[in-house]
Amino acid sequence: MTQTRERRIYLAWKGEKRRHDYRNGETHSPAMKVARRFRVPIRVVRDAIEAQREVA
């Protein structure tokens, strides 16, 4: 089964969220890091996250 782009973005965001260190003041949010990795606007990442939350 292949994954849709939305699903890959969501899973990447979830992984970044787990690794993100809020205490040491990392500068960019997990969503912004994923947006940079996929080279898309952050709005696309946020929409993909919301769409996958509705499915789950």
Side-chain angles (χ1 to χ4, degrees):
M1 184 174 115
T2 61
Q3 292 179 341
T4 64
R5 187 172 186 196
E6 269 185 355
R7 185 70 180 158
R8 286 196 318 264
I9 288 174
Y10 176 73
L11 293 174
W13 170 76
K14 228 168 116 175
E16 278 296 331
K17 205 169 85 166
R18 287 189 183 124
R19 286 191 303 270
H20 191 73
D21 190 4
Y22 291 96
R23 292 170 298 177
N24 288 337
E26 286 193 22
T27 55
H28 299 291
S29 71
M32 179 56 81
K33 290 179 183 176
V34 172
R36 285 183 173 180
R37 184 185 316 163
F38 283 86
R39 295 185 178 139
V40 295
I42 195 164
R43 175 87 303 213
V44 173
V45 173
R46 287 182 182 146
D47 290 343
I49 292 168
E50 285 302 314
Q52 288 298 310
R53 281 184 178 168
E54 291 173 4
V55 171

